[in-house]
Amino acid sequence: MKLVTFSNEGFTRIGALYPNNEIVDLNYAYQALLESEGKLRSEQIAEAYVPAAMEAFLQGGRESLSIAEKAADHAFHNRNSFRHKLIHHVENIKLEAPVQKPGKIICVGHNYREHIAEMGRELPPFPVVFAKFANTVIGPQDDIPFFPISEQLDYEAEFAFVVGQRARNVSQEEALDYVAGYTIANDVTYRDIQRRTLEWLQGKTVEGSAPMGPWLVTSDELPDPSGLNVRLTVNGEERQKTNTANFVFDVKYLVEFLSNLMTLEPGDIVLTGTPGGVGVARDPQAFLKDGDVVKIEIDKIGYLENRVSRAGEGK
């Protein structure tokens, strides 16, 4: 499935993307299915198993996903059977980041061989790990805010995975069982702020610096995250291009490594690193400007496209 978070008429809910760009509201779909089966307390049962928020839904694991799939198919073929609207066309709603309030956003640095080479570094013996926070998350239809604290706003195309169940001391052999699915992220970075101390955090955690989306492709639809092409363009000009086969540390390794450091929870997001071609490493350097359009494409997921807007000057 392609899971989405969407906003409509002041409410934010989760859905599944179907052909013809139609989105099934999963919580309402399950309520409708329960009522069709003559069940009482449909609203309460649906909120327990298929809640309207992505983070809570992911806590239900495979059981919730299985129920949601059944409910979505019922709603798709019985779209006028419920008191609430079950199906929306993507043009009539706003797509948000799939996971809006992750408990953790864990980022991996120096994880593509060509990016390590362009930065003049050696292959790391262990993953370089840093963090972003939930304040950075914006969606696929939001502008990237460009705050007047720096002129070195940079892009980083990222293949990201979302944790699907609590993971602690997980082996690589079991690792993918703990992944809910995959999405696209842009680790937007204020380079001079990042580099004014040894720690990168302050240049990575500015508001709105983690565009994500447009949806979460579940791991049953994308069982193998290796061998995926990744491409980033700015105003149509190619800046980054790689394949996830070029990882130093792949998804399986990262799940094992991170879960041995900390407990990973459903809804946690891991950004797996960026390839070569970042603006700071180009000659001459090429940072983002007001009005630039950044597009990231990843095989089997789709694309994430955001416009850069001077803070206060956007839509």
Side-chain angles (χ1 to χ4, degrees):
M1 296 179 75
K2 290 183 174 68
L3 298 174
V4 301
T5 296
F6 68 96
S7 292
N8 181 58
E9 297 180 349
F11 296 95
T12 300
R13 303 177 60 78
I14 65 167
L17 182 71
Y18 268 66
N20 302 318
N21 286 324
E22 291 187 308
I23 292 173
V24 178
D25 184 309
L26 291 177
N27 175 264
Y28 285 160
Y30 190 36
Q31 288 186 47
L33 175 60
L34 289 168
E35 290 189 5
S36 75
E37 295 173 343
K39 300 290 179 61
L40 302 177
R41 302 180 67 250
S42 62
E43 185 173 345
Q44 291 82 358
I45 296 171
E47 186 58 31
Y49 288 94
V50 187
M54 186 69 76
E55 296 82 3
F57 173 72
L58 292 175
Q59 291 173 1
R62 293 180 178 175
E63 181 179 15
S64 286
L65 183 61
S66 176
I67 291 170
E69 289 176 336
K70 181 180 177 182
D73 284 340
H74 172 82
F76 192 75
H77 295 100
N78 299 275
R79 58 184 63 206
N80 297 316
S81 63
F82 194 56
R83 60 186 175 277
H84 296 296
K85 191 174 180 64
L86 296 176
I87 312 284
H88 301 270
H89 196 276
V90 73
E91 293 180 353
N92 298 325
I93 54 86
K94 179 176 183 269
L95 285 175
E96 306 286 358
V99 181
Q100 295 193 290
K101 297 179 181 178
K104 295 187 281 294
I105 304 176
I106 304 163
C107 305
V108 181
H110 304 156
N111 199 28
Y112 282 98
R113 289 173 173 81
E114 70 272 24
H115 180 49
I116 295 169
E118 75 176 359
M119 302 303 284
R121 301 177 184 272
E122 300 293 329
L123 291 181
F126 301 101
V128 176
V129 177
F130 59 96
K132 292 176 90 83
F133 303 122
N135 67 296
T136 63
V137 175
I138 60 174
Q141 295 177 322
D142 293 322
D143 287 350
I144 299 169
F146 191 173
F147 293 99
I149 55 176
S150 165
E151 289 300 319
Q152 295 190 4
L153 189 70
D154 209 348
Y155 51 82
E156 292 191 6
E158 303 261 356
F159 175 66
F161 66 86
V162 177
V163 176
Q165 57 177 310
R166 181 172 290 171
R168 180 68 173 156
N169 297 322
V170 172
S171 69
Q172 290 190 49
E173 290 72 25
E174 300 174 311
L176 295 186
D177 293 338
Y178 290 81
V179 175
Y182 305 91
T183 190
I184 304 171
N186 188 349
D187 179 17
V188 175
T189 304
Y190 289 77
R191 287 296 179 199
D192 52 346
I193 296 175
Q194 174 194 4
R195 293 181 164 192
R196 64 189 181 187
T197 65
L198 291 176
E199 295 288 342
W200 298 352
L201 189 70
Q202 56 192 299
K204 296 284 189 176
T205 54
V206 179
E207 302 288 334
S209 61
M212 292 186 192
W215 38 67
L216 179 67
V217 178
T218 55
S219 56
D220 59 335
E221 185 169 325
L222 180 51
D224 184 1
S226 64
L228 305 177
N229 290 317
V230 179
R231 180 173 182 261
L232 180 144
T233 60
V234 178
N235 303 326
E237 176 193 358
E238 185 174 281
R239 299 283 185 88
Q240 294 184 288
K241 186 176 183 180
T242 192
N243 188 285
T244 57
N246 295 325
F247 279 147
V248 178
F249 306 105
D250 64 12
V251 172
K252 293 179 180 179
Y253 183 97
L254 292 174
V255 172
E256 179 184 71
F257 178 81
L258 294 171
S259 72
N260 276 268
L261 295 177
M262 66 193 85
T263 300
L264 301 176
E265 299 285 356
D268 286 349
I269 302 171
V270 180
L271 277 58
T272 58
T274 199
V278 293
V280 71
R282 301 180 76 86
D283 186 15
Q285 292 180 333
F287 296 110
L288 295 172
K289 306 180 300 298
D290 181 45
D292 282 349
V293 176
V294 185
K295 183 177 183 179
I296 304 171
E297 301 167 86
I298 299 183
D299 285 350
K300 299 183 180 179
I301 298 180
Y303 70 88
L304 171 69
E305 183 175 276
N306 299 89
R307 175 180 175 269
V308 176
S309 177
R310 285 283 182 182
E313 299 173 7
K315 298 174 183 176

